[in-house]
Each structure stands twice: as C-alpha cells, then as structure tokens.
Amino acid sequence: MRNFFSLMVVLFVASYNVNAQTPIPTSLKVTGKVTDIVTHKPIEYASVVLLKQEDSSMVTGAYTTPAGLFSLNNIIPGIYVVRITFMGYEKLEKAVRVTEGKNTFAGVLGLQSAGKVLNAVEIKAEKPAFSMQIDRQVFDAGNMINAEGGTGTDILKNIPSVDVDIDDNITLRGKSVTIYVDGKPSPFGDAKTALQMIPAESIDRVEVINNPSAKFEANGSGGIINIVLKKDKAIGYNVMFNVGGATRGEGFGSANASLRLKRFNFFGNYNGRYEQVNGSGNSTRQNLIADSSNTWFFSQKSKNENRNTNNGARLGFDYFLDDHNTFTISQGLNFNNNHNGDNILLDYMDQKRESLRHGDRNNSSFNNSNNNNTNISYKRTFDKPNQELTAYASYSKNGSNSGSDYNTQYHYAGVDTLPNADRQSNKGNNGNRFWNIQSDYTSPMGKKGKLEAGVKATLRHIDNDYIATLYDWNQKDYMISPDLSNQYNYEEDIYAGYVNYANALGNLGYQVGVRAEQSQLKGYSFTKDTTVNNRFFNLFPSVFLKYNMPKNQNQSLVFNYSTRIDRPNFDQLLPYINNSDPQNIRVGNPELQPALSNKFELSYSVYYPKSNNYLSTSTYYAQTNDNIDRISTLDTISGVTTTKPMNLATQQNMGGNVSYSLNLTKWWKIWANLNIEYSKLTSIAVNNENFSYGLNGNTQFRLPGKFSIELGGHFRSPRIQPQGTFKAMNGMDLGIRKEFLKTKALVVALNVSDLLNTQQFSSHYETATFIQDYDRKRATRFIRLNIRYRFGKMDPNLFKKKKPQEEEEKPEEEKPKEGGGRL
C-alpha cells in the first residue's frame, strides 16, 4: 500500500513538470469554451453553430465536449457569428473575426439560465442518436423509446454489437465487458445487478469503448461500456416521478430530485421494482457412448417462475467550495429479494428411444441481499484551462443469505413401487467488501497537447459459506455433504498506475499511453483445503491516432491499439458444485489463469452538418491467448455432464462494422448497424471457426399531436462456442410515446417487447461423447406502460432575497459605485 501512494506522489510531481513543444497549426480554427455564467462549470453537448454575418447562412457546427470545449475547423478568413444554444439557457450570439494565418479563440462564453419554470426539462438540445469520438461510440439514450420504463439492461439491448443473454449477462462482440457508471466501476455488485438497478429514464447516454486507453482499468477483453446518468446542476430545482407496469407481472416506480443552491447541489433518487417472469427450457441429448444404465438418449423439459423485488435509494450533495474546488459525497442503499421455482421433467431412453426411467424434480430457492455504498470525490480545476486534479474513494459492503430445496422422484419402467425421493437442502451466507480508490491528473501541454496520469487501488474481500445437506432415509434426517458444501474466503487486490500523452501534428492527432497493474488473487477453501494464490504484473500499452481530412474537417480516420486482460472472477475460481440440474452440473476451477488480448481497430467516420446524418465504418482484429470459456464433458458411467471454466484456446476475431444515421425528414429518422465477423478457436483439444453477422436498426417517426413512434429490430446469425454454436437470435420491439401539456412535462409511453415473440436462446453442442441441443425461452413478449412527470425551475436568482421595493426602484446612478468592475 505504501508503494502505491509513493507512486501517486511521483506521478503527480512528474505531471506538473512535463512540457511539450507546440506544433504549428496548419488550418484555421474557431475554438472556445461554453460554461454556466453563474457556476462557471462547463456545459456538455451545447449546440455551437458558425454563421456568415452577411446572410446568416450556416458554415459548420459542433457539440461541446464534456469539458465544454468546441472546435470549428477549416474556416476561411472573414466575419462570422457564433450561435450557442442549450436546454434551459438563453441563446447566445457573438461576432468573431477570422484573420489570415491565425486561429481564433472565441473566448469563454457563459450561458445565462432561462429563468423560467422548466416543466419541460425533457426538452433538450437536439443531440445525434449516434456519434464517434477518438476512442468511443456515443449513443443517446433519450432517443430509445423502446426502453422507456425499463432498466439499464433494456438500454443496452438497443446498442449494436452488445449481446444480452437470457440471464441478462452482457457481452460486447462476444467477449466479456466491464460496466462503468459515470466513468467509475459500478459500486453495486456485479454488472448485471448494477444495470438492473438503473431506471432507463435516468440514463443520458451510453459510451461504448471497444479499445479503452491506458487510462481505464484493463480487465474485460470486450472493452468498457460507460453508462452516463442525467445531471441537473443549474441553480434551481428539478423533480421527476416515474411509474408503470407490464403485462408479465411487473410494477415499478422511481423518483429523482435535485436542488441547486449557490454552493450546494443536493440530489437523491429512489427506485423500486417488482417483476414476475416465467420461462421454459427444453434439452435433448444423444449419448455417443451409452452409460452404465444403457441410456442413449436423454431429454428434459423445465418450467420456472422467478419473482424479484428490488428497492434502492441514493442521497448526496456536491459542495462547490469556490470556482476551482468541488467535493461530492453520496450514500446508496439497495435491498433485493428473489424467489425462484423450477420444475424439471427428466426422461432417460435406450437406443430405440424407449423410456428406461423418468424423473420429476422440483427446485425452490430464495436469496435476500443488501448493499450499502459510500462515495467521496474531490475535483480541483486551475486557472489554466483544462487542467484538472480528481480524487475518488468508494466503499461498498454487501451481505446476502440464501436457501434452496431440491426434491427428485424417479419412476422406473416396469416397476410399480417408487424408490425414496432424492432430497437436498442448502443454506448460504455471503459477504463482500469492496474498496475503490483512485486519483487522476490532467494538464494541457502547449496549444494542442495533453498529459494524463493517475493511480488506482481496487481491494475486494469475499466470504462465502455454503452448507449442503442430503436427506438420509435410514437416519430420517438431513446430513451435511462434504462434497457439495464449501466455506471459502477470497481476496483480490489490484494496484495500477498509468500515463497518457496526447498531441497533434497538423491534422494528425495522437494519444499514447501505458498502464501498469499489479494483481494478486488469493483464495482458500476451508472445506476442501484448496488454495488459490495467483500473483502477476502486466503492462498494457495503448495507441490512438486520429486524422482529420484536410479538405473536410467533418471526416476523420481513427486507428487504435490496446491490450486487455480477462482475470478469472470469484465465481469461476470457487471450487463449488452446482447440482440444481442433476444431469448438467456446474463446477468452478481454482487453477484458472488470466487471459491476455491484443486489439486493433481502424475506423472512418463522416458527419454531414446540413442533414445531421452520420456514417461510421470500422474494421478490427483481436487475439486472446489462454481464452477462458466453459467446456462440458460427459461421464460415460453416470451419464452426467459437467461444465467447467478452463483456459481453452487461442481465440481470433476479425471483422467489420458499418453504422449509419439518416435523417430523411425533420420527422423521420433511420438508424442501422451491420457487423460482420470471422471467429476462430485453436487449441490441442478445441478447434472451431465460423463466419457470423449481426444487424441492428430502428426507425423513428415524430407525428402531429406530440406523438413519437419507434420500431426497432435485431438479428444475429449463429456464433461459435468451444464445442458448438449459439444459434441465431432475432427480435423486434415497438414503442409509442405521447407528450402532454405545452411544456411536455407529462410523458406516457407504451412499449411492446419482442413483437413477434421470436426471442429465444438456443445452443448446439457436439463432442466426441455426446450431441446436445438446448433451448430456453422466457416471457419476452409483453406490453409495458410508463408514465413520467417532471417539473422544475432553473433560475440563478431563484433563492436570492428580494430587495425592498423602494430599493429596487432607485435609479441606477444613486447606487454606490464599485471600483475594478469585473467583465
């Protein structure tokens, strides 16, 4: 730990003393920064348009970055007007003169709050549904009508190259992914849990980072998906209520509020959700070698019902100490209760498909969990634009208790007397403590350069105690099973530091960096007396190049390279045996090692400012060594398959992607994405390859009467897995949204999920000992109604004391004069 903080000090000292040469600009630009005139905080996604002064015709336009910056490129000398607009602020216009051979800085432009009731806070500046930055793709979540009333998981189902399986696990281009919330790893448990806790209406945009730079943690070979939440920090207040339900047995509600005073910004939210989801499964297996009972064919059918209740809340505040220093403190709580019931029908058949025996298995289980999370952050800006220092600490504590009961009754052909049923009862307790500490420093270097440096520590401790008991019919009591029970402790400590440097040479922008991570994974099973102790050090370089076309600054060519790692997680390393499905058991693997990936991507994008259309194309290649995946083996004596995670093979993925956003008219938009990929798995034990493609798209209509309609769909062809393929998937969703009142404060949305009821998860396995097909289906077609009401007022004078009337009516010249007036 001492070495970690020493590294932090060294990086900060170095970052303050590094200087870079300023490249000579080769094209004329108009740049500037947009801020709130009261708080001086940057305004992101403000619309900046450059107009000719003589006829007000538009020359070009852009949106401001998260730092409030804008750059209008390839401008010829002349006199122009910069027009800036953004939701909740008065329009600002400023004349600028562009002279020969000199770039123009339009200044720091402060926007004045509109000073009126914003019942229509939902009216925001028109953002592109899709845009491309140097290292990420950005998708506007507010455009996704089909996700209204859903969660973060429903938002991601609308993002291209992102797959959400039947258990809500997220992958990106078929690989594991790390989920961030507002640029930080989610504090609430795993990614799946975190996404289910976030109402879709609270998400502003989704950033997909296929090849993250050295600034980001290296875990997750698929990349990073950053969920950016909506924020209201203008002086005033803002409140939003959301309530709805769905035909599959779902009810939900949420409340979000913020109150901004002069130096304080208070915020809080609550969300509750209840859902009851039914599903079914069907599996057929052919044994190529008969087991000891002469079983050649085996089938099972299952039905399940899952009931889940989730309640979560978060409270916090920002304290603006002065124009440069901001502190943020927040506290979150979450409670989850889950009950699940399964009924499985088993059928064992001989070579003539005649039944040898059949079984009826009933499983019931519950899990109650609670999580509390505390966040403290600090942000320091400087007089030098874009120089920034941040520090962040998060502590989470999670506890859960669970229980399950399995009861299986077998019936044998030609036997009238039933044998004793197999009974099993399980109890589990789990505790998770998670620290996330990091600090980052950013400083401009010259006119175009930028230096980033930072350090991070991630510390996780998990205690797991699982007791499985089997019913002994002779003893007439449950007895502890040492094979199925497990008491396990696990610690994961990761220390990291990084340096990034960015600059430009003419039209070529570049960013190079390296990240160092020291990892230690330690685990011990008291029950099985097994130990995991993996310690490894890795360097992760990254390179990003962006070339802006000299004759058209709305076109860019981007190349990036990064290295990633997939560390085995607790669930994979845990030496457990899950026999909830008696013929298909799952186990962990304490011997797993991390998998390293090298990723390359080249992309081209072009923006058409007159039509607001956008085209992005890319080609990519990735290679993962010691790829972690699950493999199934058949015990030819018992007839039971065991699925286990292993370092299987070298995986290669290469492909291309095309995205196009088309505005046919002011009221009709179309967006589509096509991804084509070739995948290959190579090892001594596993060899598999295939060609696949995926298509996502939607179309939106803005109709009279404040109606909006969205129709979206997706198709994914079969994709390889180590022992077979995941079968094709497809689905279509319909959303209708109606805005009420002049201010559009009230919004009602009606969605039909999986309109054609085609959403199904299927797989096909082929091995030397068995062939198996597996299909799972749950209630994916349903109707969801969502009602949202939002009101607020943003006014810099809202909380100021009113002066006496006689003072207000004094002539201006009678007021005392102040020296040294500030512009």
PDB file of all heavy atoms in Angstrom, residues 245-272:
ATOM      1  N   GLY A 245     -45.994  -0.303 -15.333  1.00  0.00           N
ATOM      2  CA  GLY A 245     -46.171  -1.731 -15.129  1.00  0.00           C
ATOM      3  C   GLY A 245     -46.172  -2.451 -16.460  1.00  0.00           C
ATOM      4  O   GLY A 245     -46.230  -1.831 -17.532  1.00  0.00           O
ATOM      5  N   ALA A 246     -46.085  -3.795 -16.399  1.00  0.00           N
ATOM      6  CA  ALA A 246     -46.048  -4.607 -17.605  1.00  0.00           C
ATOM      7  C   ALA A 246     -46.933  -5.831 -17.428  1.00  0.00           C
ATOM      8  O   ALA A 246     -47.198  -6.275 -16.304  1.00  0.00           O
ATOM      9  CB  ALA A 246     -44.608  -5.039 -17.924  1.00  0.00           C
ATOM     10  N   THR A 247     -47.380  -6.364 -18.555  1.00  0.00           N
ATOM     11  CA  THR A 247     -48.350  -7.469 -18.526  1.00  0.00           C
ATOM     12  C   THR A 247     -47.760  -8.772 -18.007  1.00  0.00           C
ATOM     13  O   THR A 247     -48.495  -9.690 -17.661  1.00  0.00           O
ATOM     14  CB  THR A 247     -48.898  -7.719 -19.951  1.00  0.00           C
ATOM     15  OG1 THR A 247     -47.798  -7.926 -20.857  1.00  0.00           O
ATOM     16  CG2 THR A 247     -49.717  -6.532 -20.423  1.00  0.00           C
ATOM     17  N   ARG A 248     -46.434  -8.900 -17.952  1.00  0.00           N
ATOM     18  CA  ARG A 248     -45.836 -10.142 -17.463  1.00  0.00           C
ATOM     19  C   ARG A 248     -45.782 -10.190 -15.934  1.00  0.00           C
ATOM     20  O   ARG A 248     -45.180 -11.084 -15.360  1.00  0.00           O
ATOM     21  CB  ARG A 248     -44.430 -10.323 -18.029  1.00  0.00           C
ATOM     22  CG  ARG A 248     -43.428  -9.273 -17.600  1.00  0.00           C
ATOM     23  CD  ARG A 248     -42.047  -9.568 -18.175  1.00  0.00           C
ATOM     24  NE  ARG A 248     -41.059  -8.563 -17.791  1.00  0.00           N
ATOM     25  CZ  ARG A 248     -39.781  -8.601 -18.158  1.00  0.00           C
ATOM     26  NH1 ARG A 248     -39.351  -9.588 -18.923  1.00  0.00           N
ATOM     27  NH2 ARG A 248     -38.947  -7.654 -17.782  1.00  0.00           N
ATOM     28  N   GLY A 249     -46.410  -9.221 -15.259  1.00  0.00           N
ATOM     29  CA  GLY A 249     -46.405  -9.203 -13.807  1.00  0.00           C
ATOM     30  C   GLY A 249     -45.316  -8.319 -13.254  1.00  0.00           C
ATOM     31  O   GLY A 249     -44.561  -8.730 -12.374  1.00  0.00           O
ATOM     32  N   GLU A 250     -45.236  -7.102 -13.751  1.00  0.00           N
ATOM     33  CA  GLU A 250     -44.165  -6.193 -13.370  1.00  0.00           C
ATOM     34  C   GLU A 250     -44.742  -4.847 -12.973  1.00  0.00           C
ATOM     35  O   GLU A 250     -45.642  -4.315 -13.623  1.00  0.00           O
ATOM     36  CB  GLU A 250     -43.185  -6.013 -14.544  1.00  0.00           C
ATOM     37  CG  GLU A 250     -42.023  -5.091 -14.256  1.00  0.00           C
ATOM     38  CD  GLU A 250     -41.103  -4.944 -15.461  1.00  0.00           C
ATOM     39  OE1 GLU A 250     -41.448  -5.487 -16.533  1.00  0.00           O
ATOM     40  OE2 GLU A 250     -40.061  -4.294 -15.334  1.00  0.00           O
ATOM     41  N   GLY A 251     -44.243  -4.284 -11.881  1.00  0.00           N
ATOM     42  CA  GLY A 251     -44.606  -2.950 -11.448  1.00  0.00           C
ATOM     43  C   GLY A 251     -43.359  -2.211 -11.005  1.00  0.00           C
ATOM     44  O   GLY A 251     -42.446  -2.803 -10.419  1.00  0.00           O
ATOM     45  N   PHE A 252     -43.291  -0.919 -11.291  1.00  0.00           N
ATOM     46  CA  PHE A 252     -42.084  -0.179 -10.946  1.00  0.00           C
ATOM     47  C   PHE A 252     -42.420   1.292 -10.719  1.00  0.00           C
ATOM     48  O   PHE A 252     -43.453   1.810 -11.179  1.00  0.00           O
ATOM     49  CB  PHE A 252     -41.034  -0.305 -12.054  1.00  0.00           C
ATOM     50  CG  PHE A 252     -41.550   0.040 -13.431  1.00  0.00           C
ATOM     51  CD1 PHE A 252     -41.562   1.341 -13.889  1.00  0.00           C
ATOM     52  CD2 PHE A 252     -42.042  -0.957 -14.268  1.00  0.00           C
ATOM     53  CE1 PHE A 252     -42.044   1.647 -15.149  1.00  0.00           C
ATOM     54  CE2 PHE A 252     -42.525  -0.660 -15.535  1.00  0.00           C
ATOM     55  CZ  PHE A 252     -42.530   0.646 -15.976  1.00  0.00           C
ATOM     56  N   GLY A 253     -41.547   1.953 -10.009  1.00  0.00           N
ATOM     57  CA  GLY A 253     -41.694   3.377  -9.762  1.00  0.00           C
ATOM     58  C   GLY A 253     -40.360   3.964  -9.328  1.00  0.00           C
ATOM     59  O   GLY A 253     -39.517   3.268  -8.758  1.00  0.00           O
ATOM     60  N   SER A 254     -40.164   5.230  -9.617  1.00  0.00           N
ATOM     61  CA  SER A 254     -38.924   5.889  -9.217  1.00  0.00           C
ATOM     62  C   SER A 254     -39.180   7.369  -9.020  1.00  0.00           C
ATOM     63  O   SER A 254     -40.145   7.935  -9.547  1.00  0.00           O
ATOM     64  CB  SER A 254     -37.824   5.679 -10.261  1.00  0.00           C
ATOM     65  OG  SER A 254     -38.155   6.319 -11.486  1.00  0.00           O
ATOM     66  N   ALA A 255     -38.322   7.989  -8.234  1.00  0.00           N
ATOM     67  CA  ALA A 255     -38.370   9.431  -8.003  1.00  0.00           C
ATOM     68  C   ALA A 255     -36.948   9.952  -8.000  1.00  0.00           C
ATOM     69  O   ALA A 255     -36.057   9.362  -7.375  1.00  0.00           O
ATOM     70  CB  ALA A 255     -39.059   9.746  -6.684  1.00  0.00           C
ATOM     71  N   ASN A 256     -36.726  11.025  -8.727  1.00  0.00           N
ATOM     72  CA  ASN A 256     -35.412  11.672  -8.781  1.00  0.00           C
ATOM     73  C   ASN A 256     -35.595  13.155  -8.509  1.00  0.00           C
ATOM     74  O   ASN A 256     -36.528  13.777  -9.036  1.00  0.00           O
ATOM     75  CB  ASN A 256     -34.770  11.484 -10.158  1.00  0.00           C
ATOM     76  CG  ASN A 256     -34.409  10.048 -10.443  1.00  0.00           C
ATOM     77  OD1 ASN A 256     -33.307   9.605 -10.180  1.00  0.00           O
ATOM     78  ND2 ASN A 256     -35.369   9.305 -10.991  1.00  0.00           N
ATOM     79  N   ALA A 257     -34.718  13.720  -7.708  1.00  0.00           N
ATOM     80  CA  ALA A 257     -34.827  15.141  -7.381  1.00  0.00           C
ATOM     81  C   ALA A 257     -33.441  15.733  -7.195  1.00  0.00           C
ATOM     82  O   ALA A 257     -32.509  15.052  -6.741  1.00  0.00           O
ATOM     83  CB  ALA A 257     -35.669  15.344  -6.123  1.00  0.00           C
ATOM     84  N   SER A 258     -33.313  16.994  -7.551  1.00  0.00           N
ATOM     85  CA  SER A 258     -32.079  17.733  -7.305  1.00  0.00           C
ATOM     86  C   SER A 258     -32.437  19.164  -6.923  1.00  0.00           C
ATOM     87  O   SER A 258     -33.448  19.714  -7.385  1.00  0.00           O
ATOM     88  CB  SER A 258     -31.168  17.727  -8.531  1.00  0.00           C
ATOM     89  OG  SER A 258     -31.784  18.396  -9.618  1.00  0.00           O
ATOM     90  N   LEU A 259     -31.624  19.743  -6.075  1.00  0.00           N
ATOM     91  CA  LEU A 259     -31.820  21.121  -5.608  1.00  0.00           C
ATOM     92  C   LEU A 259     -30.465  21.793  -5.601  1.00  0.00           C
ATOM     93  O   LEU A 259     -29.561  21.389  -4.867  1.00  0.00           O
ATOM     94  CB  LEU A 259     -32.430  21.137  -4.203  1.00  0.00           C
ATOM     95  CG  LEU A 259     -32.524  22.509  -3.521  1.00  0.00           C
ATOM     96  CD1 LEU A 259     -33.450  23.432  -4.306  1.00  0.00           C
ATOM     97  CD2 LEU A 259     -32.982  22.351  -2.078  1.00  0.00           C
ATOM     98  N   ARG A 260     -30.308  22.810  -6.443  1.00  0.00           N
ATOM     99  CA  ARG A 260     -29.037  23.520  -6.526  1.00  0.00           C
ATOM    100  C   ARG A 260     -29.167  24.911  -5.914  1.00  0.00           C
ATOM    101  O   ARG A 260     -29.954  25.740  -6.378  1.00  0.00           O
ATOM    102  CB  ARG A 260     -28.587  23.627  -7.985  1.00  0.00           C
ATOM    103  CG  ARG A 260     -27.360  24.516  -8.173  1.00  0.00           C
ATOM    104  CD  ARG A 260     -26.122  23.885  -7.535  1.00  0.00           C
ATOM    105  NE  ARG A 260     -25.037  24.871  -7.440  1.00  0.00           N
ATOM    106  CZ  ARG A 260     -24.181  25.127  -8.420  1.00  0.00           C
ATOM    107  NH1 ARG A 260     -24.286  24.479  -9.570  1.00  0.00           N
ATOM    108  NH2 ARG A 260     -23.233  26.019  -8.262  1.00  0.00           N
ATOM    109  N   LEU A 261     -28.426  25.122  -4.838  1.00  0.00           N
ATOM    110  CA  LEU A 261     -28.298  26.434  -4.244  1.00  0.00           C
ATOM    111  C   LEU A 261     -26.998  27.050  -4.755  1.00  0.00           C
ATOM    112  O   LEU A 261     -26.387  26.539  -5.692  1.00  0.00           O
ATOM    113  CB  LEU A 261     -28.312  26.325  -2.726  1.00  0.00           C
ATOM    114  CG  LEU A 261     -29.529  25.588  -2.135  1.00  0.00           C
ATOM    115  CD1 LEU A 261     -29.390  25.460  -0.620  1.00  0.00           C
ATOM    116  CD2 LEU A 261     -30.817  26.299  -2.499  1.00  0.00           C
ATOM    117  N   LYS A 262     -26.543  28.103  -4.114  1.00  0.00           N
ATOM    118  CA  LYS A 262     -25.368  28.786  -4.641  1.00  0.00           C
ATOM    119  C   LYS A 262     -24.146  27.889  -4.626  1.00  0.00           C
ATOM    120  O   LYS A 262     -23.442  27.754  -5.625  1.00  0.00           O
ATOM    121  CB  LYS A 262     -25.101  30.058  -3.846  1.00  0.00           C
ATOM    122  CG  LYS A 262     -23.958  30.892  -4.419  1.00  0.00           C
ATOM    123  CD  LYS A 262     -23.794  32.202  -3.666  1.00  0.00           C
ATOM    124  CE  LYS A 262     -22.654  33.030  -4.298  1.00  0.00           C
ATOM    125  NZ  LYS A 262     -22.455  34.314  -3.583  1.00  0.00           N
ATOM    126  N   ARG A 263     -23.856  27.253  -3.486  1.00  0.00           N
ATOM    127  CA  ARG A 263     -22.658  26.429  -3.373  1.00  0.00           C
ATOM    128  C   ARG A 263     -22.957  24.952  -3.141  1.00  0.00           C
ATOM    129  O   ARG A 263     -22.043  24.150  -3.023  1.00  0.00           O
ATOM    130  CB  ARG A 263     -21.758  26.949  -2.249  1.00  0.00           C
ATOM    131  CG  ARG A 263     -21.185  28.327  -2.520  1.00  0.00           C
ATOM    132  CD  ARG A 263     -20.004  28.604  -1.624  1.00  0.00           C
ATOM    133  NE  ARG A 263     -19.423  29.907  -1.910  1.00  0.00           N
ATOM    134  CZ  ARG A 263     -18.538  30.138  -2.881  1.00  0.00           C
ATOM    135  NH1 ARG A 263     -18.157  29.140  -3.655  1.00  0.00           N
ATOM    136  NH2 ARG A 263     -18.056  31.342  -3.078  1.00  0.00           N
ATOM    137  N   PHE A 264     -24.233  24.595  -3.045  1.00  0.00           N
ATOM    138  CA  PHE A 264     -24.597  23.213  -2.796  1.00  0.00           C
ATOM    139  C   PHE A 264     -25.511  22.709  -3.904  1.00  0.00           C
ATOM    140  O   PHE A 264     -26.390  23.435  -4.380  1.00  0.00           O
ATOM    141  CB  PHE A 264     -25.302  23.052  -1.450  1.00  0.00           C
ATOM    142  CG  PHE A 264     -24.389  23.122  -0.265  1.00  0.00           C
ATOM    143  CD1 PHE A 264     -24.140  24.329   0.364  1.00  0.00           C
ATOM    144  CD2 PHE A 264     -23.776  21.979   0.219  1.00  0.00           C
ATOM    145  CE1 PHE A 264     -23.298  24.395   1.465  1.00  0.00           C
ATOM    146  CE2 PHE A 264     -22.937  22.026   1.319  1.00  0.00           C
ATOM    147  CZ  PHE A 264     -22.694  23.239   1.946  1.00  0.00           C
ATOM    148  N   ASN A 265     -25.301  21.479  -4.285  1.00  0.00           N
ATOM    149  CA  ASN A 265     -26.206  20.791  -5.195  1.00  0.00           C
ATOM    150  C   ASN A 265     -26.605  19.473  -4.541  1.00  0.00           C
ATOM    151  O   ASN A 265     -25.799  18.540  -4.454  1.00  0.00           O
ATOM    152  CB  ASN A 265     -25.534  20.519  -6.548  1.00  0.00           C
ATOM    153  CG  ASN A 265     -26.459  19.786  -7.504  1.00  0.00           C
ATOM    154  OD1 ASN A 265     -27.574  20.234  -7.755  1.00  0.00           O
ATOM    155  ND2 ASN A 265     -26.016  18.652  -8.021  1.00  0.00           N
ATOM    156  N   PHE A 266     -27.831  19.404  -4.031  1.00  0.00           N
ATOM    157  CA  PHE A 266     -28.329  18.201  -3.381  1.00  0.00           C
ATOM    158  C   PHE A 266     -29.039  17.330  -4.415  1.00  0.00           C
ATOM    159  O   PHE A 266     -29.768  17.836  -5.275  1.00  0.00           O
ATOM    160  CB  PHE A 266     -29.305  18.557  -2.264  1.00  0.00           C
ATOM    161  CG  PHE A 266     -28.691  19.373  -1.160  1.00  0.00           C
ATOM    162  CD1 PHE A 266     -28.772  20.766  -1.177  1.00  0.00           C
ATOM    163  CD2 PHE A 266     -28.020  18.763  -0.116  1.00  0.00           C
ATOM    164  CE1 PHE A 266     -28.204  21.519  -0.176  1.00  0.00           C
ATOM    165  CE2 PHE A 266     -27.451  19.512   0.897  1.00  0.00           C
ATOM    166  CZ  PHE A 266     -27.539  20.897   0.876  1.00  0.00           C
ATOM    167  N   PHE A 267     -28.848  16.026  -4.314  1.00  0.00           N
ATOM    168  CA  PHE A 267     -29.513  15.122  -5.246  1.00  0.00           C
ATOM    169  C   PHE A 267     -29.899  13.841  -4.520  1.00  0.00           C
ATOM    170  O   PHE A 267     -29.284  13.453  -3.517  1.00  0.00           O
ATOM    171  CB  PHE A 267     -28.610  14.807  -6.446  1.00  0.00           C
ATOM    172  CG  PHE A 267     -27.262  14.254  -6.080  1.00  0.00           C
ATOM    173  CD1 PHE A 267     -27.063  12.894  -5.883  1.00  0.00           C
ATOM    174  CD2 PHE A 267     -26.169  15.100  -5.932  1.00  0.00           C
ATOM    175  CE1 PHE A 267     -25.822  12.388  -5.554  1.00  0.00           C
ATOM    176  CE2 PHE A 267     -24.910  14.603  -5.589  1.00  0.00           C
ATOM    177  CZ  PHE A 267     -24.744  13.239  -5.394  1.00  0.00           C
ATOM    178  N   GLY A 268     -30.942  13.217  -5.012  1.00  0.00           N
ATOM    179  CA  GLY A 268     -31.400  11.971  -4.421  1.00  0.00           C
ATOM    180  C   GLY A 268     -32.315  11.233  -5.371  1.00  0.00           C
ATOM    181  O   GLY A 268     -32.936  11.828  -6.262  1.00  0.00           O
ATOM    182  N   ASN A 269     -32.400   9.932  -5.212  1.00  0.00           N
ATOM    183  CA  ASN A 269     -33.305   9.152  -6.033  1.00  0.00           C
ATOM    184  C   ASN A 269     -33.719   7.892  -5.291  1.00  0.00           C
ATOM    185  O   ASN A 269     -33.030   7.418  -4.384  1.00  0.00           O
ATOM    186  CB  ASN A 269     -32.666   8.791  -7.380  1.00  0.00           C
ATOM    187  CG  ASN A 269     -31.448   7.898  -7.230  1.00  0.00           C
ATOM    188  OD1 ASN A 269     -31.563   6.721  -6.877  1.00  0.00           O
ATOM    189  ND2 ASN A 269     -30.273   8.446  -7.483  1.00  0.00           N
ATOM    190  N   TYR A 270     -34.871   7.403  -5.680  1.00  0.00           N
ATOM    191  CA  TYR A 270     -35.374   6.123  -5.170  1.00  0.00           C
ATOM    192  C   TYR A 270     -35.967   5.361  -6.343  1.00  0.00           C
ATOM    193  O   TYR A 270     -36.623   5.942  -7.219  1.00  0.00           O
ATOM    194  CB  TYR A 270     -36.455   6.321  -4.106  1.00  0.00           C
ATOM    195  CG  TYR A 270     -37.262   5.057  -3.874  1.00  0.00           C
ATOM    196  CD1 TYR A 270     -36.767   4.038  -3.079  1.00  0.00           C
ATOM    197  CD2 TYR A 270     -38.490   4.859  -4.508  1.00  0.00           C
ATOM    198  CE1 TYR A 270     -37.466   2.855  -2.894  1.00  0.00           C
ATOM    199  CE2 TYR A 270     -39.208   3.682  -4.333  1.00  0.00           C
ATOM    200  CZ  TYR A 270     -38.691   2.686  -3.525  1.00  0.00           C
ATOM    201  OH  TYR A 270     -39.388   1.518  -3.355  1.00  0.00           O
ATOM    202  N   ASN A 271     -35.748   4.050  -6.379  1.00  0.00           N
ATOM    203  CA  ASN A 271     -36.412   3.243  -7.387  1.00  0.00           C
ATOM    204  C   ASN A 271     -36.784   1.894  -6.788  1.00  0.00           C
ATOM    205  O   ASN A 271     -36.033   1.315  -6.002  1.00  0.00           O
ATOM    206  CB  ASN A 271     -35.525   3.070  -8.625  1.00  0.00           C
ATOM    207  CG  ASN A 271     -34.267   2.267  -8.345  1.00  0.00           C
ATOM    208  OD1 ASN A 271     -34.289   1.033  -8.387  1.00  0.00           O
ATOM    209  ND2 ASN A 271     -33.166   2.953  -8.062  1.00  0.00           N
ATOM    210  N   GLY A 272     -37.972   1.455  -7.125  1.00  0.00           N
ATOM    211  CA  GLY A 272     -38.478   0.167  -6.677  1.00  0.00           C
ATOM    212  C   GLY A 272     -39.049  -0.595  -7.855  1.00  0.00           C
ATOM    213  O   GLY A 272     -39.632  -0.004  -8.777  1.00  0.00           O
TER     214      GLY A 272
END
